Amino acid sequence: MSTNHFSSTFTQARKRFKNAAHAAGATISSYQIDVESEQELAIDVAILGEEGAPTILISSGVHGVEGFFGSAVQCALLNQLNQVSARSNVRYVMIHSVNPFGFSQLRRFNEDNVDLNRNFLSNADHYNSAPDGYASLNGFLNPESPPSKFEPFKLKALWTIWRNGLQALKQSVAGGQYQYPKGLFFGGNRPCKSTRVIYDNCDAWIGSSEKIIHIDLHSGLGDYASYKLFLAEGAESKNLGWYTDAFGADCVEPLDQPEGTAYKATGPFGEWMQKHFTSREYRFVAAEFGTYDVIRVLGAIRAENRAHHYSDKTSSAYKNAKAELLECFCPSDASWRRQVTESGLKIIFQATQALGNLE
Ligand SMILES: [Zn+2]
């Protein structure tokens, strides 16, 4: 398995995705995200296979910079599907780069500083408030100044974890907040442009398929080069057995798992999709591929956010913060890239096999 599906810019990734989709015979639709930018920013959707056939839906780049990894898996898959025998009676819908601004700017958040995985709220009244605990951490998470090399972030983070517990910290920090527009994990005040593209077009993309397995590709959480599949339903769900049969019990994590790797986010993409397609057999996994430890990753997200809001774009502080964020969500290590591409394709293959058991 080659690692050459990894691009070095958003524009390159977009071009390669569209070329691979075209070569595989997919239809491609593009949705411009109207934001001032040097590059054209768009979500591209490639669809392959018969209308109405059981569907594998693969989305990438909800968290911008994570799209380097997600795009690579999508391109690797398209190259495989190029060989007709690999297709079978399955429809593939690939959403490339849900957050093109973040992807192009090496950000996890979008043009409105929004974490899109906190923006899919079914009730507009819920775009307010922040979890208990976020206010007291705001000063630590979101200093109103450029990042500094000399700040003892790691010590501060360890102290905060020691006082709160890692799980409580993950929950209150990363669960989503709607009160601090320049802060980390801000969920927005209304549905963002990308969110509206999904709202307006997902019915057309899915068509009349009755069986859908959605794999949303993420990176930056968990052990290096390994993965977990986070569900949008709890351990009590009648579907749990289907997930563990399909993907293996050791990598499947239902919602609300005590001491789990994840935290409960508000307004996630997958939960909204699952509710929207509730009358169909719709299964969702957020596939999270690990990179570095939580403190390093949180430090990178925090430094990049400070650089984005308070640094000169030509400064070395800005460039270093971007480079570290990219490394934290898409390590340059060839072995990481090879392993995650192989695992990504394996999960998609397992999902394709498991479509037959969906009922
Ligand atoms: Zn993510």
Side-chain angles (χ1 to χ4, degrees):
M1 172 66 56
S2 75
T3 59
N4 61 8
H5 298 293
F6 284 78
S7 295
S8 48
T9 65
F10 164 73
T11 301
Q12 185 190 31
R14 195 181 167 211
K15 193 169 160 196
R16 292 168 87 177
F17 174 77
K18 286 170 72 176
N19 285 344
H22 183 72
T27 57
I28 305 164
S29 311
S30 299
Y31 304 85
Q32 308 296 323
I33 299 296
D34 188 17
V35 178
E36 203 177 313
S37 164
E38 285 157 12
Q39 302 144 69
E40 185 184 70
L41 300 180
I43 299 170
D44 297 300
V45 177
I47 299 181
L48 198 64
E50 296 285 313
E51 151 67 12
T55 294
I56 301 289
L57 169 62
I58 303 156
S59 44
S60 71
V62 166
H63 286 139
V65 66
E66 297 173 19
F68 285 97
F69 149 70
S71 174
V73 174
Q74 288 174 319
C75 288
L77 177 67
L78 281 165
N79 280 6
Q80 281 194 350
L81 295 176
N82 201 356
Q83 301 144 17
V84 175
S85 59
R87 278 192 213 168
S88 66
N89 183 31
V90 175
R91 179 176 164 91
Y92 291 91
V93 176
M94 294 181 218
I95 310 175
H96 185 262
S97 179
V98 177
N99 170 7
F101 179 87
F103 196 156
S104 70
Q105 299 292 311
L106 308 182
R107 299 213 76 203
R108 195 171 179 278
F109 310 125
N110 82 345
E111 61 276 7
D112 304 316
N113 199 51
V114 166
D115 180 331
L116 284 177
N117 224 18
R118 314 287 179 268
N119 190 243
F120 287 80
L121 295 176
S122 35
N123 185 338
D125 296 341
H126 293 165
Y127 288 101
N128 59 43
S129 82
D132 294 345
Y134 195 96
S136 64
L137 291 167
N138 184 46
F140 161 65
L141 293 171
N142 305 310
E144 295 180 7
S145 57
S148 155
K149 269 201 289 208
F150 307 106
E151 186 210 27
F153 167 75
K154 200 165 177 177
L155 273 179
K156 283 193 203 172
L158 287 169
W159 168 246
T160 313
I161 290 167
W162 186 75
R163 275 193 320 179
N164 298 274
L166 181 59
Q167 197 58 22
L169 187 71
K170 273 201 251 178
Q171 185 59 54
S172 58
V173 170
Q177 55 86 8
Y178 301 86
Q179 271 183 351
Y180 302 89
K182 285 189 171 177
L184 304 184
F185 309 104
F186 174 56
N189 296 317
R190 62 187 68 83
C192 292
K193 293 185 176 80
S194 292
T195 308
R196 290 204 304 267
V197 168
I198 305 280
Y199 285 173
D200 294 346
N201 298 285
C202 63
D203 288 334
W205 298 334
I206 297 300
S208 61
S209 296
E210 283 296 327
K211 298 179 177 186
I212 304 120
I213 303 175
H214 181 179
I215 300 165
D216 190 32
L217 296 167
H218 290 262
S219 58
L221 184 66
D223 294 336
Y224 193 78
S226 73
Y227 66 89
K228 291 263 182 198
L229 304 176
F230 297 107
L231 311 186
E233 45 202 305
E236 76 298 339
S237 166
K238 65 177 176 28
N239 298 326
L240 187 64
W242 177 87
Y243 285 103
T244 54
D245 286 350
F247 301 107
D250 50 344
C251 64
V252 169
E253 263 197 39
L255 272 181
D256 303 324
Q257 188 86 327
E259 303 305 315
T261 313
Y263 39 81
K264 173 86 175 83
T266 49
F269 178 29
E271 215 170 283
W272 184 87
M273 290 286 274
Q274 201 158 37
K275 274 189 196 136
H276 185 74
F277 290 107
T278 194
S279 64
R280 322 227 190 150
E281 290 301 328
Y282 192 95
R283 302 287 186 273
F284 173 84
V285 299
E288 267 286 1
F289 286 76
T291 58
Y292 300 102
D293 67 84
V294 168
I295 295 182
R296 177 168 173 186
V297 173
L298 178 62
I301 297 173
R302 175 179 178 265
E304 187 281 332
N305 198 47
R306 295 172 74 181
H308 178 79
H309 294 296
Y310 306 108
S311 291
D312 183 333
K313 280 194 172 190
T314 59
S315 66
S316 58
Y318 182 90
K319 289 175 187 160
N320 291 342
K322 294 288 179 183
E324 170 66 358
L325 193 81
L326 177 59
E327 180 63 23
C328 278
F329 288 95
C330 184
S332 52
D333 170 15
S335 147
W336 184 89
R337 293 182 171 197
R338 192 185 63 250
Q339 287 182 66
V340 298
T341 310
E342 281 173 7
S343 300
L345 291 175
K346 183 183 87 181
I347 294 163
I348 295 163
F349 178 74
Q350 289 171 329
T352 310
Q353 300 294 103
L355 272 173
N357 304 328
L358 260 189
E359 53 198 34

